[in-house]
Each structure stands twice: as C-alpha cells, then as structure tokens.
C-alpha cells in the first residue's frame, strides 16, 4: 500500500515524501481512512508505530479541506500526557502542514506562558497541549475550545496513570458536543475502555500490534546479579560492548540520578531524564543523546514515555518495573523500523516476582546469563523490597478515578518525593 491510495491531499503527500516515508505503517493504513471519513477512532498503538502521523495526517487533511475563517478559532486539540510528547507531536504537525495554510501551537507547563499565549493570539488552527497548562490558560480566558472540531487524546493510558482523568473530564466539558474524537492508547485496561466509552461515539477500533506482545526483532536477556553489583555490571556491559547509545531504566528518580553519577565517574557520558528535571535540562539531555554526545540516558518510565528516539540499539532495565506492562513499553524502544535491538535486564533476587509477572505477560521465558564476578547472591531474599509494597498513596485526588495498580504506584512515589523547581501547579507532582 502507498500513501497515494489513502486519499490524502497533494500538499500532504509532498510533506510525507519530504520526510522520506514511502509506505504507511500498519496503524496509518488502518487509522487514516476512517479518520478521513469523519469517524471516531479508538486505536491501540504505542510510540514507534507511526501513530502520530496516523492521526495528524488525516486531521490536517480535514481541516485544510474546510473553508477557513479570517478569525482563526482553534479547530483541533491534541492532548498529550507529557511535555516531551507534546513537543514531538507539535514538531510533526509543523512538518506535515508545511505546504498547507494551517497554523499550530504547542503549550505545556514548566515554562513561561507568555510566548505560548502570544502564538495563540496570532490565530491558530491546531493546538497541541498538556492538560495542566491548557486548563490554566483556559481559566485565564486566554484561549477558547468552543470551536473544536477534532479532539485527539494521545497516550490515553499514560494520561490515566498520571492522574489526568479529572482534567480530561473538565476539558471534555469545554469542547463542543459535536466533534470527531480520536483516542490512542498503548494498552486497553478497563479504565481506558470506560474513558473511551464516555468520549467516543461508535468508534472504529484499530490495532497496530497485538496487546502485550514483545517485538520479535528484540533480543531479550536477563542477567541474574547481586543487587550491590548491578552498577559494576552495567558499566562493564556498556564499556566492554563499546555501546554508544543506551537507554537505561530505573524505577525511581533518585535511582536515576545516582546511577547517572556513577556512570559519569566511570567516564561514560550520561544524563538522567525524569520529572524533577527542568524542561531545559530534559531537552538538553535528549538532544545530546540523539546527537551521540551522551551515551547513556537514564530514565524513569513516565519520563521516557513518548520519547522519539529512532533505531535505539540497546535498552537496559537496571531494575525491572513492578508493573509488567511497563516492561513491554520499555523494550519497545529498541528494534524499531526492522532494526535489531537488544533489551537486557539486570535482575536481583528481590525482583524475582516481577520477572515471573513479565514472563507470564509476554508468554515466554527470558534467557538468563550470569557474568563471572557479578554473580547473584544465593542468600538474598526473593521478597520484593519493602518500598515496593504498601501501595496506595494518600494525596492526589486526581488519581481517584483510575484505581489501577499503576496509579497506586505513582501515588506512592509522589507522596515520597515532591517535585522541585516547578511552578506549574497542575503538573508539578506528576512528572517522573
Ligand atoms: P510515532 O510512533 O508517531 O512516535 O513515530 C515513530 C517514528 O516513525 C517517528 O520518527 C516518525 O517520524 C517515523 N514514521 C512515522 N510514519 C512513518 C512511515 N510511514 N515510514 C517511516 N517512518 C515513519
């Protein structure tokens, strides 16, 4: 199948060709036609599948077909959970609309609102936004959502994980009842289905990859290791392999910082990316990583979500996630676009339960290796660490709507450590 057969305008085909895309990805093949027909779409797709173009291309087509008004009301709203994703989606919108007479803007918290407001004042057709800043600006009367024709909810599952349910409900009340809705989610939990039911009208359901399956192109391996030897082992693996671009996952922000410092002491350039980092520090880390000046990016699950890092050769789980689905998201960062990737997990005795949960979810046993000098501790307890238990934080009223285990985990993290250096009232405690 080619892009030509999807019914997109010449201006869009020109932009697609400029990007170098030749064939629509499976999610694009499935999502673009029903969106063009004006239908609501509920899509199961994660980052890396080409989902952004899957909703952006037909959205731009529809907006450019309809006559524009001199006064440009915002006609399409794309809501994303994180700033990074908002920035990436916006970059795509701009690229794909290069040959169209459409204007767009992006807004998110943690940065001065003035330039964002100035851009909106000039008149825009498409707004990409995170919920917190959107509600802030709306409540200040600086933007209106009354003329929205197309509403896109990107990474809806992560939205719920981050406690945005109430914000989404508030935003839905601000947009017209008659509108086209597109909702994208990597997973389909009960909460997601409920949310979809409340937002979408008779949606066409499309799926890019079967739920909870790991990409075949990824070599997965487990290194059994004593907890205290993990840092030494990861440094050895990266140094011996002379790996140049490695994404490392830790469970906590603190753990990410600590590991990052140890890497730097071992002469491996590294940066951490998580919610306590300022926007400029996160952008700098990501740019350095993409350019190759930073070899190792240490990230927490939430911060890594939505990052567009093409063709990543190595992903290492310094700690296994306690939510099995997160493992699938993490390793989905490698082996993209047909390239072979490697996903390694350093597993200590106390993570045995998590490993079992992951193997059950992906329905395969992961091969295990033990490296001499970095053996597991035969006397260590296989009980999960205490801090992983006793879930169920006490704050965040925002989380009340999605009582799943992920939400509880984030609550727990949030209540332990408050986000620093962030003036955005709404997003302050949600960025990991
Ligand atoms: P996404 O899942 O939207 O984050 O996209 C993942 C990556 O795939 C991005 O770098 C896109 O630029 C790229 N991409 C999207 N669609 C295509 C396509 N049809 N052919 C090749 N690359 C694509």
């Amino acid at each position: 199948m080619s892009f030509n057969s999807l019914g997109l305008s010449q201006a869009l085909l020109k932009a697609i060709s400029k990007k170098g895309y030749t064939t629509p990805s499976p999610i694009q093949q499935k999502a673009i036609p029903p969106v063009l027909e004006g239908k609501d779409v509920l899509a199961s797709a994660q980052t890396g599948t080409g989902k952004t173009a899957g909703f952006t291309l037909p959205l731009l087509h529809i907006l450019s077909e309809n006559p524009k008004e001199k006064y440009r009301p915002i006609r399409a709203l794309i809501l994303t959970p994180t700033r990074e994703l908002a920035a990436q989606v916006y970059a795509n919108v701009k690229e794909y609309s290069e040959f169209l007479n459409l204007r767009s803007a992006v807004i998110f918290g943690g940065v001065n609102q003035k330039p964002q407001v100035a851009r909106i004042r000039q008149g825009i057709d498409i707004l990409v936004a995170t919920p917190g800043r959107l509600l802030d600006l709306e409540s200040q009367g600086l933007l209106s959502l009354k003329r929205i024709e197309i509403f896109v909810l990107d990474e809806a599952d992560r939205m719920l994980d981050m406690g945005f349910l109430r914000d989404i409900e508030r935003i839905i009340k601000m947009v017209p009842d008659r509108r086209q809705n597109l909702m994208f989610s990597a997973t389909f939990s009960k909460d997601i289905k409920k949310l979809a039911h409340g937002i979408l009208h008779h949606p066409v359901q499309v799926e890019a990859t079967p739920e909870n399956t790991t990409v075949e192109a990824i070599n997965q391996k487990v290194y059994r290791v004593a907890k205290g030897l993990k840092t030494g082992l990861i440094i050895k693996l990266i140094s011996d392999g002379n790996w140049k671009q490695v994404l490392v996952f830790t469970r906590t922000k603190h753990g990410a910082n600590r590991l990052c410092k140890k890497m730097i002491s071992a002469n491996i350039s590294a940066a951490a990316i998580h919610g306590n980092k300022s926007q400029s520090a996160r952008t700098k880390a990501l740019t350095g990583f993409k350019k190759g000046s930073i070899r190792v990016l240490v990230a927490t699950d939430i911060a890594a979500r939505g990052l567009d890092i093409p063709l990543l050769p190595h992903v290492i789980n310094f700690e296994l996630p306690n939510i099995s689905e997160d493992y699938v998201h993490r390793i989905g960062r490698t082996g993209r676009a047909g390239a072979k990737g490697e996903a390694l997990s350093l597993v200590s005795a106390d993570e045995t339960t998590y490993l079992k949960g992951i193997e059950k979810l992906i329905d395969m046993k992961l091969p295990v290796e033990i490296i001499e000098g970095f053996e597991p501790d035969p006397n260590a307890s296989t009980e999960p660490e205490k801090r992983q238990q006793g879930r169920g934080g006490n704050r965040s009223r925002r989380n009340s709507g999605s009582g799943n285990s992920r939400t509880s985990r984030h609550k727990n993290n949030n209540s332990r450590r408050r986000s620093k250096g962030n003036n955005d009232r709404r997003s302050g405690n949600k960025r990991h």
Side-chain angles (χ1 to χ4, degrees), residues 3 16 19-25 28 46-54 85 88 92 95-96 306-308 310 336:
F3 277 105
I16 292 165
K19 280 286 281 177
Y21 305 164
T22 49
T23 322
S25 70
Q28 291 162 3
Q46 60 190 77
T47 305
T49 55
K51 68 177 167 68
T52 315
L85 187 61
Q88 276 163 29
N92 281 339
E95 282 172 331
Y96 301 140
L307 293 185
D308 177 22
R336 282 187 184 188

Side-chain angles (χ1 to χ4, degrees), residues 3-16 31-38 52-68 75-76 78 92-93 96-102 125-126 149-150 180 182:
F3 277 105
N4 289 336
S5 58
L6 289 173
L8 295 166
S9 68
Q10 284 305 320
L12 284 167
L13 293 177
K14 194 169 157 193
I16 292 165
I32 291 173
V35 181
L36 284 177
E37 283 173 31
T52 315
F55 61 76
T56 306
L57 292 171
L59 177 150
L60 293 172
H61 181 101
I62 293 169
L63 294 186
S64 62
E65 286 250 294
N66 297 337
K68 281 161 288 295
R75 296 166 64 198
I78 304 172
N92 281 339
V93 169
Y96 301 140
S97 60
E98 186 183 344
F99 306 107
L100 296 170
N101 182 21
L102 290 172
D125 306 278
I126 304 135
E149 295 163 34
I150 307 177
Q180 185 178 6
L182 315 176

